[in-house]
Amino acid sequence: MANLYAKNFSDADEVKNPPKAKVEVVKLGNVNASKLVLQPGWVWSECIKPTVGGESCQAGHVGVVISGRLGCSHNDGSKIEVGPGDAYYFAPGHDGWVIGDEPCIMYEIVEGGKDFGPWKHAN
């Protein structure tokens, strides 16, 4: 097992294309790093929920916004807006949406990988 890893998103291990989004995943041992590009008009409850089901996203998200803005509301009624340079954590039980006319670009890193849904891989 390697102790040092480096991979570039231009040569991602997985590329997924859910509606209005592109997710590039690189696998670094037992950790996955993902680059998410969410287009204007992307809303979890409209673009992802029809495929994965449930009333809200049941994944936890830890990441950093590079550009664009994202809104998130939790089932408990709390809301947050994140933008460039913001690190974030969204607990399971939320909805999210792109704010404005600019794509939202984010990076997330999770141990053990994360399933972004059953969309076909581009590579």
Side-chain angles (χ1 to χ4, degrees):
M1 174 184 230
N3 290 316
L4 302 172
Y5 295 89
K7 290 189 179 178
N8 195 289
F9 287 99
S10 66
D11 189 27
D13 294 307
E14 296 180 55
V15 178
K16 298 183 181 188
N17 294 290
K20 299 183 183 178
K22 182 176 184 180
V23 180
E24 297 167 303
V25 180
V26 294
K27 297 179 181 185
L28 308 166
N30 67 337
V31 174
N32 284 1
S34 299
K35 177 182 180 184
L36 296 89
V37 178
L38 307 178
Q39 297 299 322
W42 181 90
V43 179
W44 182 89
S45 56
E46 296 172 9
C47 298
I48 308 300
K49 177 181 175 178
T51 302
V52 300
E55 289 305 309
S56 56
C57 179
Q58 295 303 304
H61 299 272
V62 177
V64 175
V65 178
I66 303 305
S67 63
R69 299 198 72 73
L70 189 77
C72 185
S73 62
H74 195 270
N75 293 347
D76 68 5
S78 60
K79 293 183 180 183
I80 194 169
E81 184 177 316
V82 294
D86 289 340
Y88 59 86
Y89 171 68
F90 304 149
H94 62 271
D95 194 3
W97 59 92
V98 171
I99 298 170
D101 296 329
E102 179 183 354
C104 187
I105 300 174
M106 306 174 297
Y107 289 91
E108 295 187 351
I109 299 176
V110 294
E111 189 171 5
K114 181 181 354 181
D115 183 7
F116 281 94
W119 301 283
K120 293 183 180 181
H121 301 272
N123 60 349

